[in-house]
Structure formats: C-alpha cells, structure tokens
Amino acid sequence: MRRTGWKKTPDLSAQMNWTYASDPTVMTWTVKAVNRSVAFWTAFFSPLLVIPLIALIATLFYGVSLLSWLAIFCFLFALFLYVKVGLERTVYVYRATNEHLEICQWQDIPDMVFTFLRVFPFLIAGVILMLFISSPVLSIAALVGPALLGILMASFGADSNYKKMYKDLDQQNYRWDELIEAMVDSHHGLIRLRWPYELPPEIAIQVENPEQYYYQGALLYFRKDQEDKVTQLVKSKLPESLALEEGLHKYDFSG
C-alpha cells in the first residue's frame, strides 16, 4: 500500500518560514504520509481489537450487560490507539533550491484527539463505578487496571508538553552536493536520501557505537501523480558519482 494520502494536500510552502528563503525555488510540494510500518502496528494491535470483540460476543449470550459496554469501550480505545499510533499521518512540506533541500514536518493530529484523551477517562470511571455497584462481587483489584489506564490517559490529555511534542514544527535543511546515498521506493511512495554526519565529541564519547550515527537521512514522500517530478528533481541534483537506486524502504518498529 502507498504511504501517502489519497486526497491532495494544498501546497503549504508559502506559509513556512524557510531558512534559505532568499534562494530561488526550484520545486515545492506537500504531502500527508504514514511514516511507520503499518503492517507491524496492525499485527501488534490485532489481539487488542479481537479480544474485546470476543468478550462482547460472549457476554451478549447472557443479554446486554455492563460487561458488554465495558468490552465496547475497550474495543473503541484499542481502535483509537491503532489509528493514533499505527495510522497517524505526518504533514511534510518540501522546498528545493539549486543548492538546498528544506523540509518542514509535523504530526497531523486534530485537537479533538487531545480532547478525547481528557474525556475518555471519565467514561471509563463511570463504567467501573456502575460495574462495581451492580456486581459487588467484583474485586477492587480487577478494576485497578482500567482505573490506572484512565488516570494515565487523563495525564496525557492534560499535559501541554505532550501536545506540543507531537504537533510542533520540525524543520531540517540539507545540501544537495553532500549527498552520499539516494534510493527511490515507488511501493511506499518515497525517496530516501542520506548525508554524512558526525556526532559532537562530547556526545560521541557517551555512545557505545558512534559509527552508526555517521549519516543523517531524509525521506521525500510523494503522491503517485508527483512521482515523476520528484524523481527527476532528485536525479538532477545528485552528485556525478551518485545514482538514484531502486529499492524497498524498511521501517523500524517505531517508525
């Protein structure tokens, strides 16, 4: 499946505060992309989605009960996490000049998500209270897990730093002539670029294997209708000793 969105995203480049704004623009484009392994997170969340559904079906044999509603809440919460963690899109705004490539990115998270994080714990608390009142035989220990989950979600929803961390703008810029690797992945709709990078000495001495940080990279996502233009742009900017190779990008578990 392609990582970029089905709908076209308006070009937002005019709204960005570019570092090299005085340099003539060669090309700009904007996309929303899923920059993580969808297959991994789908497999990871599958049990969390299936188990509440099985529990719901099992409880329905005895008629609709509070346990049925709890199963529904658990399913909706797992579905929310799956969409938030596994399918959340990132907005990328790209600007290319003759010498530089600039990238702005931020998480495409609606404000209603953070509202949900603050409200959902109260729903959980209500279900827990109703379960305990209707079935006093339920041990308090059995309800501790959902209660702690509600408290944890409430802390995230109320934490301004959590929202800032995910929605704040991240800006990067690179030089075309310093590229050391370029690969196009048409399946995922991206071009992976890498530049040499060396950790500052004060940080390198704290890292067990600093060699693994001797490069920094960028992913150029594109829609299918943008592929030819983006590919031709990168080919025209590559150093003479470098070619744009075909390949398949591998996402790690977190990204």
Side-chain angles (χ1 to χ4, degrees):
M1 67 178 291
R2 302 191 65 79
R3 303 292 174 179
T4 48
W6 296 281
K7 295 182 179 180
K8 291 186 178 181
T9 302
D11 191 345
L12 304 176
S13 58
Q15 303 177 26
M16 302 295 105
N17 185 21
W18 300 112
T19 302
Y20 299 97
S22 59
D23 294 352
T25 301
V26 175
M27 181 179 175
T28 63
W29 73 99
T30 302
V31 295
K32 290 183 180 181
V34 180
N35 55 356
R36 54 184 58 83
S37 174
V38 174
F40 169 80
W41 288 113
T42 299
F44 180 87
F45 280 104
S46 291
L48 300 179
L49 293 168
V50 172
I51 292 175
L53 285 179
I54 295 177
L56 175 61
I57 295 173
T59 57
L60 288 179
F61 278 107
Y62 302 96
V64 178
S65 65
L66 289 175
L67 287 175
S68 302
W69 287 109
L70 182 60
I72 293 174
F73 275 117
C74 290
F75 172 79
L76 293 177
F77 177 60
L79 181 63
F80 164 77
L81 286 181
Y82 171 61
V83 173
K84 172 66 183 71
V85 178
L87 301 180
E88 190 70 64
R89 296 187 183 277
T90 302
V91 179
Y92 289 90
V93 186
Y94 299 100
R95 177 177 179 266
T97 68
N98 286 324
E99 295 184 353
H100 296 92
L101 170 67
E102 297 191 72
I103 305 173
C104 291
Q105 67 181 75
W106 63 91
Q107 290 293 91
D108 182 32
I109 307 176
D111 288 333
M112 63 180 296
V113 170
F114 300 95
T115 302
F116 174 85
L117 288 174
R118 291 193 294 268
V119 172
F120 192 74
F122 293 100
L123 300 178
I124 293 180
V127 172
I128 291 174
L129 181 61
M130 292 171 65
L131 281 171
F132 187 73
I133 293 175
S134 62
S135 303
V137 294
L138 288 175
S139 66
I140 296 179
L143 303 176
V144 168
L148 291 178
L149 175 63
I151 294 174
L152 180 63
M153 289 185 64
S155 65
F156 284 147
D159 188 357
S160 59
N161 291 326
Y162 180 78
K163 181 177 181 179
K164 180 181 175 64
M165 176 177 63
Y166 280 97
K167 298 198 69 172
D168 258 14
L169 176 70
D170 179 32
Q171 191 163 0
Q172 309 156 40
N173 60 79
Y174 307 93
R175 288 189 59 89
W176 290 113
D177 57 3
E178 295 178 349
L179 270 169
I180 59 175
E181 181 182 330
M183 183 197 76
V184 58
D185 181 349
S186 296
H187 173 70
H188 288 144
L190 62 86
I191 293 177
R192 188 180 70 192
L193 304 176
R194 286 183 175 174
W195 286 264
Y197 175 72
E198 187 171 348
L199 288 173
E202 63 274 13
I203 299 179
I205 60 175
Q206 305 175 31
V207 178
E208 182 177 350
N209 184 20
E211 288 79 11
Q212 65 179 312
Y213 297 97
Y214 281 178
Y215 65 85
Q216 58 182 343
L219 297 179
L220 308 189
Y221 289 93
F222 48 78
R223 298 190 311 268
K224 189 62 179 177
D225 62 309
Q226 298 170 326
E227 183 172 2
D228 290 340
K229 290 183 179 180
V230 175
T231 301
Q232 291 304 317
L233 167 70
V234 173
K235 285 182 177 180
S236 68
K237 298 300 179 182
L238 292 179
E240 293 184 0
S241 60
L242 196 62
L244 183 60
E245 302 177 355
E246 294 277 349
L248 188 65
H249 178 69
K250 294 183 179 180
Y251 292 86
D252 58 30
F253 291 158
S254 61

